[in-house]
Amino acid sequence: MENLALLWGIVGPGVSGAVFGAGWWFWVDAVVCSAVQVSFLHYLPGILASLAALMFNAVNKDEIGYDYYSPYGDDSEWRVKLWLFVAYVVSFVCLAGSVGLLVQDALTDKGPSVWTGVAGVLQCVLVLISGLIYWTCHSED
Amino acid sequence: MTLSRSMRTCLHSGRLALLAILVSSGIVLQILACALYNNWWPMLTVIMYLLLPMPLMFFLGSNSPSMMSNEGDGWVNFTKFLTGASVVGSIAIPSILKHAGVIGWGALTMELSSFVVFGIAILWLIQMNGEDEYSSVF
């Protein structure tokens, strides 16, 4: 088990980069192969998901734990929690938004194709997973 | 079995020459993929190839913890992130070009094989660099 943790610390960031890249490249493929112009609204879930992944990687993991010596906690603890909360809200909103756009694309024929919607959902999911992977591996040290 | 010093340097330079051949054949494959079909779009992958060895160039020569160790600076992790993203990018760009119909199957296979050749060369370079640290004591 110990070896696995060490190995993860070494390749983790690389895997996370690969997943992040895969997410965005699926989106690029959908935009390039789309027959219609993809509006900016469809770009939003991906951009916001990347922002959310950045946000919850920016916190220092040590600041979240409880401070045993003072029962009322540090003054700065609520700020970290607020930041994380906003990051989670943004990521769930993008997930919901991308699924909603997929359903909308599947229902009408005039807008972007189904592949655009599917790629949007894939992009959102993969970017968020990449953020999670990066978070797990940079706290190994 | 211990090799004499001259034998070891000979082997070492032989390995370096083989590595250089690998890298140049990768470059040749990449350029062929464009030149044979008279379609210069696959050259976009070159951007990814430029990004790929960057972490190696930054950290291989310096004294900071090597890439294979667990201790991570923020920067070491970030460069590994970039490496991962550019690996996927160099597979993704030819695939997107093929999906959009800009290039054909032949160009796609040449691009992907050029990527595989570069990957083998870089992995071998890392392994050779790791070996040097052990054998330099003798």
mmCIF file of all heavy atoms in Angstrom, chain B residues 6-47:
data_model
loop_
_atom_site.group_PDB
_atom_site.id
_atom_site.type_symbol
_atom_site.label_atom_id
_atom_site.label_comp_id
_atom_site.label_asym_id
_atom_site.label_seq_id
_atom_site.Cartn_x
_atom_site.Cartn_y
_atom_site.Cartn_z
ATOM 1 N N SER B 6 36.723 2.148 -20.591
ATOM 2 C CA SER B 6 36.593 2.539 -22.005
ATOM 3 C C SER B 6 35.388 1.855 -22.630
ATOM 4 O O SER B 6 34.659 2.442 -23.424
ATOM 5 C CB SER B 6 37.870 2.196 -22.762
ATOM 6 O OG SER B 6 38.147 0.817 -22.600
ATOM 7 N N MET B 7 35.139 0.603 -22.217
ATOM 8 C CA MET B 7 33.974 -0.094 -22.756
ATOM 9 C C MET B 7 32.698 0.618 -22.359
ATOM 10 O O MET B 7 31.759 0.729 -23.131
ATOM 11 C CB MET B 7 33.923 -1.538 -22.215
ATOM 12 C CG MET B 7 34.690 -2.529 -23.020
ATOM 13 S SD MET B 7 33.899 -2.792 -24.585
ATOM 14 C CE MET B 7 32.549 -3.829 -24.102
ATOM 15 N N ARG B 8 32.697 1.093 -21.099
ATOM 16 C CA ARG B 8 31.475 1.722 -20.616
ATOM 17 C C ARG B 8 31.208 3.037 -21.341
ATOM 18 O O ARG B 8 30.069 3.351 -21.693
ATOM 19 C CB ARG B 8 31.537 1.953 -19.112
ATOM 20 C CG ARG B 8 30.171 2.321 -18.589
ATOM 21 C CD ARG B 8 30.087 2.474 -17.105
ATOM 22 N NE ARG B 8 30.418 1.278 -16.389
ATOM 23 C CZ ARG B 8 31.287 1.249 -15.394
ATOM 24 N NH1 ARG B 8 31.895 2.337 -15.014
ATOM 25 N NH2 ARG B 8 31.546 0.118 -14.768
ATOM 26 N N THR B 9 32.274 3.803 -21.593
ATOM 27 C CA THR B 9 32.054 5.058 -22.316
ATOM 28 C C THR B 9 31.620 4.765 -23.737
ATOM 29 O O THR B 9 30.797 5.471 -24.308
ATOM 30 C CB THR B 9 33.318 5.940 -22.354
ATOM 31 O OG1 THR B 9 34.445 5.099 -22.556
ATOM 32 C CG2 THR B 9 33.446 6.711 -21.068
ATOM 33 N N CYS B 10 32.164 3.692 -24.313
ATOM 34 C CA CYS B 10 31.779 3.342 -25.679
ATOM 35 C C CYS B 10 30.286 2.993 -25.728
ATOM 36 O O CYS B 10 29.549 3.457 -26.579
ATOM 37 C CB CYS B 10 32.618 2.147 -26.156
ATOM 38 S SG CYS B 10 32.327 1.730 -27.862
ATOM 39 N N LEU B 11 29.856 2.166 -24.773
ATOM 40 C CA LEU B 11 28.437 1.800 -24.714
ATOM 41 C C LEU B 11 27.570 3.023 -24.519
ATOM 42 O O LEU B 11 26.520 3.177 -25.124
ATOM 43 C CB LEU B 11 28.207 0.844 -23.536
ATOM 44 C CG LEU B 11 27.909 -0.597 -23.891
ATOM 45 C CD1 LEU B 11 27.813 -1.411 -22.632
ATOM 46 C CD2 LEU B 11 26.593 -0.676 -24.645
ATOM 47 N N HIS B 12 28.039 3.901 -23.639
ATOM 48 C CA HIS B 12 27.263 5.100 -23.322
ATOM 49 C C HIS B 12 27.073 5.962 -24.553
ATOM 50 O O HIS B 12 25.973 6.412 -24.849
ATOM 51 C CB HIS B 12 27.977 5.881 -22.219
ATOM 52 C CG HIS B 12 27.175 7.009 -21.699
ATOM 53 N ND1 HIS B 12 26.116 6.830 -20.842
ATOM 54 C CD2 HIS B 12 27.255 8.331 -21.927
ATOM 55 C CE1 HIS B 12 25.590 8.006 -20.550
ATOM 56 N NE2 HIS B 12 26.258 8.932 -21.196
ATOM 57 N N SER B 13 28.165 6.177 -25.299
ATOM 58 C CA SER B 13 28.009 7.008 -26.487
ATOM 59 C C SER B 13 27.213 6.277 -27.547
ATOM 60 O O SER B 13 26.500 6.895 -28.329
ATOM 61 C CB SER B 13 29.361 7.462 -27.034
ATOM 62 O OG SER B 13 30.243 6.374 -27.097
ATOM 63 N N GLY B 14 27.290 4.936 -27.544
ATOM 64 C CA GLY B 14 26.453 4.187 -28.473
ATOM 65 C C GLY B 14 24.986 4.395 -28.179
ATOM 66 O O GLY B 14 24.162 4.566 -29.070
ATOM 67 N N ARG B 15 24.664 4.399 -26.852
ATOM 68 C CA ARG B 15 23.271 4.605 -26.472
ATOM 69 C C ARG B 15 22.813 5.996 -26.838
ATOM 70 O O ARG B 15 21.681 6.197 -27.275
ATOM 71 C CB ARG B 15 23.106 4.396 -24.981
ATOM 72 C CG ARG B 15 22.859 2.971 -24.640
ATOM 73 C CD ARG B 15 22.392 2.873 -23.241
ATOM 74 N NE ARG B 15 23.150 1.851 -22.546
ATOM 75 C CZ ARG B 15 23.331 1.822 -21.257
ATOM 76 N NH1 ARG B 15 22.835 2.776 -20.507
ATOM 77 N NH2 ARG B 15 24.006 0.863 -20.709
ATOM 78 N N LEU B 16 23.692 6.976 -26.642
ATOM 79 C CA LEU B 16 23.330 8.348 -27.003
ATOM 80 C C LEU B 16 23.070 8.453 -28.489
ATOM 81 O O LEU B 16 22.135 9.124 -28.927
ATOM 82 C CB LEU B 16 24.445 9.315 -26.604
ATOM 83 C CG LEU B 16 24.483 9.724 -25.144
ATOM 84 C CD1 LEU B 16 25.621 10.680 -24.919
ATOM 85 C CD2 LEU B 16 23.172 10.365 -24.746
ATOM 86 N N ALA B 17 23.904 7.768 -29.287
ATOM 87 C CA ALA B 17 23.709 7.828 -30.743
ATOM 88 C C ALA B 17 22.370 7.215 -31.120
ATOM 89 O O ALA B 17 21.633 7.744 -31.958
ATOM 90 C CB ALA B 17 24.850 7.091 -31.452
ATOM 91 N N LEU B 18 22.035 6.086 -30.461
ATOM 92 C CA LEU B 18 20.765 5.432 -30.753
ATOM 93 C C LEU B 18 19.603 6.336 -30.387
ATOM 94 O O LEU B 18 18.600 6.437 -31.104
ATOM 95 C CB LEU B 18 20.672 4.131 -29.961
ATOM 96 C CG LEU B 18 19.951 2.986 -30.667
ATOM 97 C CD1 LEU B 18 20.515 2.810 -32.046
ATOM 98 C CD2 LEU B 18 20.114 1.716 -29.851
ATOM 99 N N LEU B 19 19.749 7.041 -29.269
ATOM 100 C CA LEU B 19 18.720 7.982 -28.833
ATOM 101 C C LEU B 19 18.537 9.094 -29.853
ATOM 102 O O LEU B 19 17.410 9.465 -30.198
ATOM 103 C CB LEU B 19 19.140 8.571 -27.494
ATOM 104 C CG LEU B 19 18.043 9.166 -26.645
ATOM 105 C CD1 LEU B 19 17.072 8.090 -26.269
ATOM 106 C CD2 LEU B 19 18.640 9.777 -25.405
ATOM 107 N N ALA B 20 19.685 9.591 -30.379
ATOM 108 C CA ALA B 20 19.602 10.654 -31.383
ATOM 109 C C ALA B 20 18.910 10.147 -32.638
ATOM 110 O O ALA B 20 18.119 10.870 -33.265
ATOM 111 C CB ALA B 20 21.006 11.177 -31.709
ATOM 112 N N ILE B 21 19.189 8.891 -33.007
ATOM 113 C CA ILE B 21 18.525 8.320 -34.192
ATOM 114 C C ILE B 21 17.028 8.248 -33.964
ATOM 115 O O ILE B 21 16.220 8.564 -34.846
ATOM 116 C CB ILE B 21 19.100 6.930 -34.515
ATOM 117 C CG1 ILE B 21 20.534 7.042 -34.973
ATOM 118 C CG2 ILE B 21 18.271 6.242 -35.580
ATOM 119 C CD1 ILE B 21 21.154 5.721 -35.326
ATOM 120 N N LEU B 22 16.629 7.841 -32.746
ATOM 121 C CA LEU B 22 15.200 7.750 -32.445
ATOM 122 C C LEU B 22 14.522 9.104 -32.591
ATOM 123 O O LEU B 22 13.477 9.236 -33.225
ATOM 124 C CB LEU B 22 14.996 7.256 -31.011
ATOM 125 C CG LEU B 22 14.750 5.777 -30.817
ATOM 126 C CD1 LEU B 22 14.442 5.519 -29.360
ATOM 127 C CD2 LEU B 22 13.597 5.313 -31.667
ATOM 128 N N VAL B 23 15.146 10.122 -31.995
ATOM 129 C CA VAL B 23 14.523 11.449 -32.031
ATOM 130 C C VAL B 23 14.430 11.954 -33.457
ATOM 131 O O VAL B 23 13.403 12.490 -33.885
ATOM 132 C CB VAL B 23 15.323 12.434 -31.153
ATOM 133 C CG1 VAL B 23 14.848 13.847 -31.387
ATOM 134 C CG2 VAL B 23 15.160 12.083 -29.700
ATOM 135 N N SER B 24 15.500 11.746 -34.238
ATOM 136 C CA SER B 24 15.444 12.257 -35.611
ATOM 137 C C SER B 24 14.439 11.488 -36.443
ATOM 138 O O SER B 24 13.788 12.068 -37.328
ATOM 139 C CB SER B 24 16.819 12.251 -36.244
ATOM 140 O OG SER B 24 17.441 11.013 -36.034
ATOM 141 N N SER B 25 14.269 10.172 -36.172
ATOM 142 C CA SER B 25 13.250 9.454 -36.955
ATOM 143 C C SER B 25 11.861 9.922 -36.567
ATOM 144 O O SER B 25 10.960 9.966 -37.409
ATOM 145 C CB SER B 25 13.384 7.945 -36.800
ATOM 146 O OG SER B 25 13.409 7.598 -35.458
ATOM 147 N N GLY B 26 11.690 10.316 -35.303
ATOM 148 C CA GLY B 26 10.412 10.890 -34.906
ATOM 149 C C GLY B 26 10.121 12.159 -35.671
ATOM 150 O O GLY B 26 9.007 12.374 -36.179
ATOM 151 N N ILE B 27 11.147 13.017 -35.774
ATOM 152 C CA ILE B 27 10.969 14.273 -36.517
ATOM 153 C C ILE B 27 10.661 13.978 -37.984
ATOM 154 O O ILE B 27 9.782 14.597 -38.604
ATOM 155 C CB ILE B 27 12.224 15.149 -36.386
ATOM 156 C CG1 ILE B 27 12.468 15.515 -34.941
ATOM 157 C CG2 ILE B 27 12.076 16.401 -37.216
ATOM 158 C CD1 ILE B 27 13.708 16.348 -34.730
ATOM 159 N N VAL B 28 11.394 13.001 -38.554
ATOM 160 C CA VAL B 28 11.185 12.666 -39.972
ATOM 161 C C VAL B 28 9.762 12.186 -40.198
ATOM 162 O O VAL B 28 9.091 12.594 -41.152
ATOM 163 C CB VAL B 28 12.205 11.594 -40.414
ATOM 164 C CG1 VAL B 28 11.744 10.911 -41.687
ATOM 165 C CG2 VAL B 28 13.551 12.221 -40.613
ATOM 166 N N LEU B 29 9.271 11.318 -39.292
ATOM 167 C CA LEU B 29 7.900 10.811 -39.424
ATOM 168 C C LEU B 29 6.899 11.951 -39.380
ATOM 169 O O LEU B 29 5.936 11.990 -40.150
ATOM 170 C CB LEU B 29 7.589 9.828 -38.291
ATOM 171 C CG LEU B 29 7.923 8.381 -38.561
ATOM 172 C CD1 LEU B 29 7.694 7.567 -37.312
ATOM 173 C CD2 LEU B 29 7.060 7.855 -39.679
ATOM 174 N N GLN B 30 7.138 12.887 -38.464
ATOM 175 C CA GLN B 30 6.216 14.014 -38.316
ATOM 176 C C GLN B 30 6.168 14.839 -39.597
ATOM 177 O O GLN B 30 5.107 15.192 -40.090
ATOM 178 C CB GLN B 30 6.693 14.866 -37.127
ATOM 179 C CG GLN B 30 6.082 16.221 -37.031
ATOM 180 C CD GLN B 30 4.658 16.142 -36.552
ATOM 181 O OE1 GLN B 30 4.290 15.209 -35.854
ATOM 182 N NE2 GLN B 30 3.848 17.087 -36.950
ATOM 183 N N ILE B 31 7.361 15.122 -40.159
ATOM 184 C CA ILE B 31 7.385 15.949 -41.362
ATOM 185 C C ILE B 31 6.820 15.181 -42.558
ATOM 186 O O ILE B 31 6.103 15.730 -43.393
ATOM 187 C CB ILE B 31 8.818 16.441 -41.630
ATOM 188 C CG1 ILE B 31 9.271 17.324 -40.490
ATOM 189 C CG2 ILE B 31 8.877 17.185 -42.940
ATOM 190 C CD1 ILE B 31 10.560 18.026 -40.746
ATOM 191 N N LEU B 32 7.110 13.866 -42.611
ATOM 192 C CA LEU B 32 6.571 13.050 -43.706
ATOM 193 C C LEU B 32 5.058 13.061 -43.693
ATOM 194 O O LEU B 32 4.418 13.074 -44.738
ATOM 195 C CB LEU B 32 7.046 11.601 -43.559
ATOM 196 C CG LEU B 32 8.296 11.201 -44.313
ATOM 197 C CD1 LEU B 32 8.536 9.729 -44.147
ATOM 198 C CD2 LEU B 32 8.144 11.536 -45.778
ATOM 199 N N ALA B 33 4.484 13.032 -42.471
ATOM 200 C CA ALA B 33 3.024 13.001 -42.370
ATOM 201 C C ALA B 33 2.413 14.207 -43.054
ATOM 202 O O ALA B 33 1.289 14.156 -43.540
ATOM 203 C CB ALA B 33 2.599 12.941 -40.903
ATOM 204 N N CYS B 34 3.154 15.320 -43.065
ATOM 205 C CA CYS B 34 2.634 16.500 -43.743
ATOM 206 C C CYS B 34 3.039 16.523 -45.203
ATOM 207 O O CYS B 34 2.235 16.790 -46.083
ATOM 208 C CB CYS B 34 3.169 17.767 -43.090
ATOM 209 S SG CYS B 34 2.856 17.867 -41.367
ATOM 210 N N ALA B 35 4.314 16.197 -45.483
ATOM 211 C CA ALA B 35 4.826 16.407 -46.835
ATOM 212 C C ALA B 35 4.226 15.424 -47.826
ATOM 213 O O ALA B 35 3.917 15.788 -48.955
ATOM 214 C CB ALA B 35 6.345 16.288 -46.826
ATOM 215 N N LEU B 36 4.053 14.157 -47.418
ATOM 216 C CA LEU B 36 3.557 13.152 -48.353
ATOM 217 C C LEU B 36 2.164 13.478 -48.858
ATOM 218 O O LEU B 36 1.797 13.112 -49.961
ATOM 219 C CB LEU B 36 3.529 11.775 -47.685
ATOM 220 C CG LEU B 36 4.852 11.027 -47.660
ATOM 221 C CD1 LEU B 36 4.636 9.657 -47.068
ATOM 222 C CD2 LEU B 36 5.403 10.928 -49.058
ATOM 223 N N TYR B 37 1.370 14.128 -48.014
ATOM 224 C CA TYR B 37 -0.011 14.394 -48.404
ATOM 225 C C TYR B 37 -0.212 15.842 -48.776
ATOM 226 O O TYR B 37 -1.330 16.258 -49.038
ATOM 227 C CB TYR B 37 -0.944 13.996 -47.262
ATOM 228 C CG TYR B 37 -0.834 12.534 -46.947
ATOM 229 C CD1 TYR B 37 0.061 12.085 -46.006
ATOM 230 C CD2 TYR B 37 -1.598 11.604 -47.641
ATOM 231 C CE1 TYR B 37 0.186 10.739 -45.748
ATOM 232 C CE2 TYR B 37 -1.479 10.270 -47.380
ATOM 233 C CZ TYR B 37 -0.585 9.835 -46.434
ATOM 234 O OH TYR B 37 -0.461 8.507 -46.177
ATOM 235 N N ASN B 38 0.875 16.600 -48.758
ATOM 236 C CA ASN B 38 0.852 18.008 -49.144
ATOM 237 C C ASN B 38 -0.164 18.790 -48.317
ATOM 238 O O ASN B 38 -0.840 19.677 -48.816
ATOM 239 C CB ASN B 38 0.527 18.155 -50.633
ATOM 240 C CG ASN B 38 1.148 19.424 -51.182
ATOM 241 O OD1 ASN B 38 1.979 20.039 -50.529
ATOM 242 N ND2 ASN B 38 0.714 19.828 -52.360
ATOM 243 N N ASN B 39 -0.272 18.412 -47.041
ATOM 244 C CA ASN B 39 -1.251 19.034 -46.187
ATOM 245 C C ASN B 39 -0.545 19.372 -44.888
ATOM 246 O O ASN B 39 -0.157 18.495 -44.131
ATOM 247 C CB ASN B 39 -2.389 18.035 -45.947
ATOM 248 C CG ASN B 39 -3.475 18.631 -45.098
ATOM 249 O OD1 ASN B 39 -3.384 19.765 -44.654
ATOM 250 N ND2 ASN B 39 -4.507 17.844 -44.885
ATOM 251 N N TRP B 40 -0.308 20.659 -44.614
ATOM 252 C CA TRP B 40 0.572 21.041 -43.522
ATOM 253 C C TRP B 40 -0.132 21.222 -42.193
ATOM 254 O O TRP B 40 0.455 21.695 -41.247
ATOM 255 C CB TRP B 40 1.363 22.294 -43.898
ATOM 256 C CG TRP B 40 2.320 21.958 -44.969
ATOM 257 C CD1 TRP B 40 2.105 22.069 -46.312
ATOM 258 C CD2 TRP B 40 3.597 21.355 -44.819
ATOM 259 N NE1 TRP B 40 3.186 21.606 -47.008
ATOM 260 C CE2 TRP B 40 4.120 21.155 -46.112
ATOM 261 C CE3 TRP B 40 4.369 20.957 -43.726
ATOM 262 C CZ2 TRP B 40 5.367 20.588 -46.329
ATOM 263 C CZ3 TRP B 40 5.612 20.401 -43.953
ATOM 264 C CH2 TRP B 40 6.099 20.216 -45.252
ATOM 265 N N TRP B 41 -1.385 20.812 -42.081
ATOM 266 C CA TRP B 41 -2.101 20.920 -40.816
ATOM 267 C C TRP B 41 -1.472 20.126 -39.681
ATOM 268 O O TRP B 41 -1.430 20.623 -38.562
ATOM 269 C CB TRP B 41 -3.548 20.479 -40.985
ATOM 270 C CG TRP B 41 -4.419 21.579 -41.472
ATOM 271 C CD1 TRP B 41 -4.930 21.733 -42.712
ATOM 272 C CD2 TRP B 41 -4.850 22.711 -40.716
ATOM 273 N NE1 TRP B 41 -5.664 22.869 -42.794
ATOM 274 C CE2 TRP B 41 -5.631 23.496 -41.581
ATOM 275 C CE3 TRP B 41 -4.651 23.130 -39.417
ATOM 276 C CZ2 TRP B 41 -6.229 24.668 -41.177
ATOM 277 C CZ3 TRP B 41 -5.252 24.307 -39.007
ATOM 278 C CH2 TRP B 41 -6.025 25.059 -39.883
ATOM 279 N N PRO B 42 -0.993 18.900 -39.898
ATOM 280 C CA PRO B 42 -0.447 18.143 -38.766
ATOM 281 C C PRO B 42 0.720 18.819 -38.069
ATOM 282 O O PRO B 42 1.106 18.412 -36.985
ATOM 283 C CB PRO B 42 -0.010 16.822 -39.401
ATOM 284 C CG PRO B 42 -0.890 16.657 -40.563
ATOM 285 C CD PRO B 42 -1.101 18.027 -41.090
ATOM 286 N N MET B 43 1.301 19.864 -38.669
ATOM 287 C CA MET B 43 2.396 20.532 -37.994
ATOM 288 C C MET B 43 1.965 21.160 -36.681
ATOM 289 O O MET B 43 2.800 21.514 -35.870
ATOM 290 C CB MET B 43 2.990 21.630 -38.895
ATOM 291 C CG MET B 43 3.865 21.086 -39.975
ATOM 292 S SD MET B 43 5.117 19.973 -39.304
ATOM 293 C CE MET B 43 6.582 20.690 -39.952
ATOM 294 N N LEU B 44 0.646 21.303 -36.472
ATOM 295 C CA LEU B 44 0.161 21.844 -35.206
ATOM 296 C C LEU B 44 0.634 21.013 -34.025
ATOM 297 O O LEU B 44 0.824 21.520 -32.918
ATOM 298 C CB LEU B 44 -1.372 21.858 -35.197
ATOM 299 C CG LEU B 44 -2.072 23.045 -35.808
ATOM 300 C CD1 LEU B 44 -3.562 22.873 -35.663
ATOM 301 C CD2 LEU B 44 -1.645 24.314 -35.104
ATOM 302 N N THR B 45 0.821 19.695 -34.272
ATOM 303 C CA THR B 45 1.244 18.825 -33.184
ATOM 304 C C THR B 45 2.604 19.236 -32.650
ATOM 305 O O THR B 45 2.960 18.906 -31.522
ATOM 306 C CB THR B 45 1.336 17.372 -33.685
ATOM 307 O OG1 THR B 45 0.446 17.219 -34.779
ATOM 308 C CG2 THR B 45 0.940 16.425 -32.603
ATOM 309 N N VAL B 46 3.374 19.955 -33.481
ATOM 310 C CA VAL B 46 4.713 20.367 -33.058
ATOM 311 C C VAL B 46 4.647 21.238 -31.806
ATOM 312 O O VAL B 46 5.542 21.201 -30.964
ATOM 313 C CB VAL B 46 5.423 21.103 -34.217
ATOM 314 C CG1 VAL B 46 6.733 21.678 -33.769
ATOM 315 C CG2 VAL B 46 5.668 20.142 -35.347
ATOM 316 N N ILE B 47 3.559 22.018 -31.678
ATOM 317 C CA ILE B 47 3.406 22.836 -30.465
ATOM 318 C C ILE B 47 3.402 21.942 -29.240
ATOM 319 O O ILE B 47 4.043 22.224 -28.231
ATOM 320 C CB ILE B 47 2.092 23.632 -30.508
ATOM 321 C CG1 ILE B 47 1.985 24.434 -31.780
ATOM 322 C CG2 ILE B 47 1.995 24.543 -29.313
ATOM 323 C CD1 ILE B 47 0.701 25.214 -31.861
#
